Amino acid sequence: MVTPTLGYAARDEANPLSRFDFERRDLRPADVQIDIHYCGVCHSDLHQVHNDWGNTVYPLVPGHEIVGRVAAIGSEVDKFTVGDVVAVGCLVDSCQRCEPCEGGEEQYCLKAATQTYNDKDRIDGSPTHGGYSKRIVVRQEFVLRMSDKLDPAAAAPLLCAGITVYSPLNYHRVSSGTRLGVIGLGGLGHMAIKFGAAMGAEVTLFTTSPSKIEEAKRLGAHKVVLSSDREQMKTARGYFDLLIDTVPKPHSMNEYLMCLRRNGNMVLVGPIGMMDPPIHLGLLISARKALSGSAIGGISETQQMLDFCADRGITCDVEMINIQDINQAYERMQRNDVHYRFVIDMASLK
Ligand code: NAP
Ligand code: ZN
């Protein structure tokens, strides 16, 4: 059984997104049905729409930064009631039995977690569709609780941009005294600055955009390095404990590896599609440096991050748009003109 709903979809990689009628499954016993109020626009949506990673299945309804209200619950749901404000991020299911799942790291499920969109439902094989839509149905284990202290629109991007940078900062125990460098000031980067500063780190932004220097300081960065300036890059050498690279496009890594101090770690979260990067391995070997990666975060860690944000009053800097503006928003993202996350007001979808 299914229920009709409405969304916005890409039909292929070349044409703009447009209205799309599709169906959501009826409730299984452990399912929560959510009326979507807000959905953030992640650079990954753009990568998927353009088939940058070669795995896009069309029609594609993107969106994995979802906030809404519970509209109905299945007979076995015990964590939520109708009317609760809730959130859904990048995952809607996983095997729940493997070692990463049992350790609360469903994003690293050995049987591959089910992505919120561009994936297949584990039970009936139907395509998963994301948050650029009126409604979603998700098993309760993958639904997050949202504090009423958080503005729901400004909190929506926490569900991907937020957790993707919170998780490596948490894993690497960022605290007072950590010298943290954030590479790229976009959706992920602006949250890495806010979280790093809230955790007590000394935060430096590496940016390609001179216009963002003052903005970065307003967001909590203590220093800014213009990455196109060779002298500034030289001055930053050998200084950082941790670098978080959020850049979505291929770029050189060696000059950033030079900025790590002994035992430093550079965590890649942005350049997912970058193949065979030229890396000077001597830079790692000479000072026991590490180059690593990180993907979103598990469900319990995402809840921990949302609660941390509610306690500290942290949300995202967002620009609200109507769903009809999504194609222009994508164009602006490609021109690097985002401050710092578009969020779709889903009431505009009629
Ligand atoms: P975004 O908002 O578009 O920001 C990207 C930033 O990267 C830009 O603001 C820009 O900052 C910098 N940049 C440097 N060179 C660039 C170039 N050639 N083109 C565009 N930007 C450039 O993107 P986002 O939403 O933060 O996502 C960043 C990347 O993370 C994407 O590739 C996305 O797919 C990926 N991602 C990964 C995960 C994960 O789990 N690992 C989760 C979510 C997203 P400056 O102006 O400061 O240089
Ligand atoms: Zn995302």
Side-chain angles (χ1 to χ4, degrees):
M1 291 288 287
V2 289
T3 314
T5 190
L6 181 59
Y8 248 56
R11 291 352 196 264
D12 56 47
E13 59 193 78
N15 285 298
L17 275 70
S18 56
R19 260 174 82 101
F20 176 59
D21 290 294
F22 67 108
E23 289 157 344
R24 293 289 189 192
R25 67 173 185 258
D26 281 344
L27 292 176
R28 297 174 187 146
D31 276 348
V32 175
Q33 180 188 306
I34 301 161
D35 286 342
I36 300 174
H37 294 172
Y38 302 105
C39 185
V41 180
C42 181
H43 206 110
S44 299
D45 301 350
L46 195 55
H47 285 307
Q48 287 287 9
V49 163
H50 292 160
N51 197 19
D52 288 345
W53 299 328
N55 68 347
T56 303
V57 177
Y58 301 96
L60 173 88
V61 179
H64 55 207
E65 295 182 338
I66 299 168
V67 174
R69 211 173 262 282
V70 175
I73 53 172
S75 56
E76 291 172 10
V77 170
D78 53 6
K79 296 186 176 153
F80 300 97
T81 55
V82 171
D84 287 351
V85 177
V86 293
V88 177
C90 303
L91 306 178
V92 288
D93 207 353
S94 72
C95 85
Q96 305 273 288
R97 289 197 194 94
C98 68
E99 192 187 338
C101 282
E102 288 197 335
E105 295 198 312
E106 298 88 349
Q107 75 276 32
Y108 303 126
C109 174
L110 298 179
K111 297 206 166 152
T114 307
Q115 306 292 311
T116 302
Y117 65 84
N118 200 47
D119 208 339
K120 283 186 181 157
D121 179 70
R122 256 164 208 276
I123 293 174
D124 64 17
S126 60
T128 60
H129 286 309
Y132 297 8
S133 59
K134 297 299 276 183
R135 160 185 299 178
I136 193 165
V137 175
V138 180
R139 61 183 285 191
Q140 66 171 344
E141 292 86 347
F142 287 80
V143 177
L144 286 308
R145 197 168 287 287
M146 182 74 87
S147 162
D148 59 11
K149 288 190 201 157
L150 291 170
D151 170 355
L158 295 173
L159 276 299
C160 176
I163 185 60
T164 299
V165 293
Y166 179 90
S167 182
L169 300 189
N170 195 25
Y171 183 80
H172 292 283
R173 297 194 171 86
V174 167
S175 60
S176 160
T178 306
R179 294 173 181 178
L180 171 67
V182 175
I183 307 171
L185 180 48
L188 272 58
H190 94 291
M191 292 315 299
I193 291 176
K194 290 191 186 198
F195 286 142
M199 291 171 182
E202 182 198 272
V203 185
T204 301
L205 172 72
F206 290 84
T207 182
T208 61
S209 307
S211 62
K212 293 182 183 171
I213 293 172
E214 289 313 311
E215 279 286 282
K217 291 186 177 159
R218 178 184 64 76
L219 293 164
H222 303 94
K223 301 179 194 169
V224 180
V225 173
L226 199 55
S227 51
S228 55
D229 183 325
R230 282 175 157 246
E231 285 310 309
Q232 289 190 33
M233 288 298 283
K234 265 192 195 166
T235 311
R237 282 186 190 168
Y239 188 75
F240 292 89
D241 299 302
L242 188 68
L243 290 169
I244 305 283
D245 180 352
T246 75
V247 176
K249 296 280 158 77
H251 59 282
S252 164
M253 291 181 186
N254 292 326
E255 61 237 43
Y256 293 111
L257 291 173
M258 283 186 222
C259 294
L260 289 174
R261 72 204 282 193
R262 181 171 53 92
N263 298 330
N265 199 317
M266 174 159 160
V267 183
L268 307 174
V269 291
I272 296 175
M274 192 173 170
M275 308 291 276
D276 304 324
I279 291 171
H280 185 343
L281 297 176
L283 290 172
L284 302 179
I285 294 165
S286 61
R288 202 165 46 201
K289 298 177 185 176
L291 181 62
S292 63
S294 187
I296 46 171
I299 297 300
S300 60
E301 191 178 36
T302 305
Q303 189 64 63
Q304 179 192 324
M305 180 253 344
L306 288 173
D307 297 344
F308 177 83
C309 289
D311 280 353
R312 303 293 190 97
I314 296 173
T315 51
C316 311
D317 286 32
V318 302
E319 181 175 339
M320 298 302 299
I321 58 167
N322 291 333
I323 188 79
Q324 295 78 8
D325 304 324
I326 187 65
N327 297 297
Q328 285 135 294
Y330 280 178
E331 280 166 27
R332 282 185 52 194
M333 282 168 81
Q334 274 173 302
R335 291 199 309 268
N336 193 1
D337 176 20
V338 188
H339 307 272
Y340 283 91
R341 199 58 141 191
F342 291 113
V343 171
I344 307 164
D345 181 350
M346 218 45 76
S348 61
L349 178 55
K350 292 185 178 115

